Amino acid sequence: EATVSYSQNIMDDEYEKFIRRMNPPRVVIDNESCKNATVIQVDSANKHGILLEVVQILTDLNFIITKAYICSDGGWFMDVFNVTNQDGNKITEEPILDYIMKSLGPDSCFASSMRRSVGVTTGMDHTAIELIGSDRPGLLSEVSAVLTNLRCNVVNAEVWTHNTRAAAIMQVTDDETGGAIADAEKLSMIKKLLCNVLRGSNKSRGAKTLVSHGVTHTDRRLHQLMFADRDYERATGDGSADDKERPNVNVVNWQDKDYSVVTIRCKDRPKLLFDTICTLTDMQYVVFHGNVDTEGPEAYQEYCIRHVDGSPVKSDAERQRVIQCLEAAIERRVSEGLKLELCTTDRVGLLSDVTRIFRENSLTVTRAEVTTRAGKALNTFYVQDSSGYPVDTKIIESVRQTIGQTILRVKGCPEELNPVQQESPTRFLFGGLFKSRSFCNFGLVRSYS
């Protein structure tokens, strides 16, 4: 069976290359026709997943997609995207424009490898750890402590929490070699210990730890992990107080055209389009037509979809599942809590120390992004009070003094701060120990907006 599958893959590749030579992708980048955005038009032979690949490339460039028009009826795919940079300006830098052309144009490789490798890259300089389990206060601290004790350095990580579940993808290196972890016994120990931490005292929901030397596209893989974990299922009567904040998702059948029409209204945020397209693609739906408008505080998305078998949504149960899964996809990345940014020299145990300080001060991490560049750690944390109350401003300031005022910064408008709570006199018992590790003396200066 493996031989047959391998031969079929080769044949499929050759056929895709032939179609590609006959119909090479065409990309047009227009900075003239629209006053406030760069217009990117992509025409290509159609294939399931191609829309996600294009959106993924634009999203990975940190573009803001303000409008999109999607059409993929028949064998041809035609999309138009209005994009800006993070500052709301047009894309004019030649190296970035060249990258777009190379990534989406005739010389790109995405069309011929779409079926098997959307969102997948490979690398041998680190080990990728995928985690899924029950969320609870201090979980990231416990996971980080296990990795530190095993002499693993977390160089990149993304952590999401949603509906009592937590998922993470952590890229780690062996402290002794600086590369991927090659010791099979050590890998087995990592999986065992982390699975125990993730399981905790909750035996009713499973926990899973996967270790590999390959690297998936982090955001897509997190969606897949949480989708497979069924985080979209809510307990009966759960979250009634949050209904007004829930995305407005509707699915109806357009009988004349044999489509199902999905409409989504929700608060706009970065990467929203990627999250919805990713979920529809991984649920095996094809977007034939679409219209996206995110100019203003609210985003509107409309898609005409069919299942890959050619059928529209067949039952009310399927319709409800599509709605629940799209709601979850939108909510997973919503940044709940106070945003803190940390910038300092990287070292083994840094993430463990920082998250331990958070835990000792009754702060729980709802989302985290950990990045290492040129030996510097650039980490973002969204934190809430473990008890559910607004975050106490005195606690935040004490945490910043413990870690370093110039190292840990509060970003954005601190609306979740509560200035009236009283701090515990024993809360910062380990502050001196933390400072003794030269945490505040790296001489690093960074400008924050």
Side-chain angles (χ1 to χ4, degrees):
E1 291 183 5
T3 302
V4 172
S5 177
Y6 178 73
S7 299
Q8 184 65 45
N9 287 342
I10 294 177
M11 292 175 62
D12 289 347
D13 272 347
E14 291 304 314
Y15 178 72
E16 289 171 12
K17 290 176 182 177
F18 173 75
I19 295 297
R20 182 179 174 78
R21 286 194 297 269
M22 296 297 294
N23 302 282
R26 186 173 71 94
V27 179
V28 176
I29 302 176
D30 177 10
N31 267 320
E32 302 298 328
S33 61
C34 182
K35 180 180 179 181
N36 53 9
T38 297
V39 180
I40 300 175
Q41 179 178 331
V42 182
D43 298 342
S44 175
N46 193 23
K47 191 168 186 65
H48 179 56
I50 192 172
L51 173 60
L52 173 59
E53 178 71 3
V54 174
V55 171
Q56 178 178 300
I57 289 171
L58 298 178
T59 302
D60 287 347
L61 287 167
N62 289 320
F63 291 167
I64 303 297
I65 301 175
T66 59
K67 290 181 182 292
Y69 307 92
I70 300 161
C71 181
S72 60
D73 261 338
W76 199 250
F77 164 87
M78 293 179 288
D79 274 10
V80 179
F81 301 91
N82 288 17
V83 303
T84 70
N85 61 20
Q86 293 289 314
D87 297 322
N89 300 319
K90 294 183 179 183
I91 314 302
T92 57
E93 298 86 348
E94 286 299 328
I96 298 179
L97 297 177
D98 289 343
Y99 179 82
I100 296 171
M101 295 297 296
K102 291 178 181 177
S103 299
L104 300 176
D107 297 330
S108 67
C109 60
F110 77 87
S112 61
S113 60
M114 180 61 55
R115 181 174 55 82
R116 293 186 306 280
S117 61
V118 171
V120 178
T121 58
T122 58
M124 298 299 291
D125 58 341
H126 59 259
T127 297
I129 302 176
E130 299 177 354
L131 310 171
I132 187 77
S134 296
D135 186 30
R136 66 177 185 276
L139 178 61
L140 181 57
S141 174
E142 295 177 40
V143 168
S144 303
V146 168
L147 293 173
T148 298
N149 289 336
L150 293 172
R151 302 302 296 171
C152 299
N153 187 35
V154 181
V155 292
N156 293 290
E158 184 95 11
V159 182
W160 290 359
T161 62
H162 177 251
N163 197 19
T164 75
R165 304 297 286 173
I169 295 181
M170 311 182 91
Q171 297 175 2
V172 303
T173 58
D174 191 318
D175 184 41
E176 294 182 4
T177 66
I181 300 169
D183 187 335
E185 185 175 340
K186 186 172 183 177
L187 289 172
S188 178
M189 181 63 68
I190 289 172
K191 292 175 65 175
K192 178 181 178 181
L193 294 180
L194 288 182
C195 204
N196 289 338
V197 169
L198 289 164
R199 187 176 295 112
S201 60
N202 187 349
K203 305 301 182 182
S204 63
R205 293 291 298 270
K208 184 182 294 185
T209 303
L210 300 174
V211 179
S212 71
H213 294 296
V215 183
T216 63
H217 185 271
T218 300
D219 291 0
R220 187 180 188 193
R221 187 61 186 145
L222 283 168
H223 277 301
Q224 291 173 337
L225 287 171
M226 300 198 93
F227 173 77
D229 190 58
R230 305 176 74 89
D231 74 313
Y232 52 85
E233 294 180 341
R234 301 177 188 270
T236 303
D238 178 45
S240 58
D242 297 327
D243 284 347
K244 62 180 181 180
E245 302 294 336
R246 193 170 295 176
N248 184 346
V249 182
N250 193 29
V251 179
V252 296
N253 280 356
W254 185 4
Q255 301 294 347
D256 292 344
K257 298 294 184 180
D258 212 24
Y259 290 129
S260 291
V261 181
V262 178
T263 56
I264 303 170
R265 292 184 185 274
C266 63
K267 184 178 179 180
D268 190 27
R269 61 161 175 77
K271 301 187 179 182
L272 178 62
L273 179 60
F274 171 84
D275 294 335
T276 54
I277 295 297
C278 177
T279 298
L280 288 171
T281 302
D282 284 339
M283 291 182 72
Q284 299 299 300
Y285 290 100
V286 179
V287 176
F288 287 88
H289 299 279
N291 179 36
V292 177
D293 188 345
T294 65
E295 290 187 335
E298 185 180 74
Y300 175 79
Q301 301 179 42
E302 181 180 78
Y303 304 111
C304 295
I305 67 168
R306 292 184 190 136
H307 195 268
V308 290
D309 64 8
S311 66
V313 172
K314 299 176 182 178
S315 65
D316 187 62
E318 183 183 356
R319 187 179 75 86
Q320 289 297 328
R321 185 168 182 264
V322 172
I323 291 173
Q324 289 179 334
C325 290
L326 286 172
E327 287 178 348
I330 294 167
E331 292 170 349
R332 287 170 193 147
R333 206 197 292 267
V334 172
S335 303
E336 296 181 352
L338 187 67
K339 184 179 181 180
L340 304 176
E341 284 193 355
L342 179 142
C343 180
T344 189
T345 300
D346 188 41
R347 61 174 172 80
V348 175
L350 174 62
L351 183 62
S352 176
D353 286 338
V354 172
T355 52
R356 174 178 58 81
I357 293 294
F358 291 162
R359 187 186 75 237
E360 290 169 355
N361 289 279
S362 299
L363 298 177
T364 183
V365 178
T366 61
R367 192 159 76 87
E369 300 172 13
V370 176
T371 306
T372 305
R373 296 175 185 167
K376 302 297 183 184
L378 307 171
N379 301 345
T380 300
F381 304 96
Y382 294 87
V383 300
Q384 292 180 327
D385 187 276
S386 298
S387 62
Y389 293 107
V391 179
D392 190 336
T393 182
K394 293 182 179 179
I395 291 178
I396 292 297
E397 286 309 306
S398 295
V399 168
R400 291 187 61 213
Q401 289 176 11
T402 302
I403 295 176
Q405 295 275 1
T406 62
I407 292 175
L408 186 68
R409 298 275 186 166
V410 179
K411 297 294 289 182
C413 181
E415 296 175 351
E416 303 229 357
L417 289 177
N418 181 358
V420 298
Q421 292 185 15
Q422 298 296 314
E423 69 177 81
S424 167
T426 60
R427 198 178 288 266
F428 307 107
L429 187 60
F430 300 100
L433 173 62
F434 196 67
K435 288 180 179 178
S436 70
R437 298 181 180 180
S438 301
F439 204 85
C440 306
N441 298 315
F442 293 107
L444 181 63
V445 178
R446 184 183 181 192
S447 174
Y448 288 85
S449 58

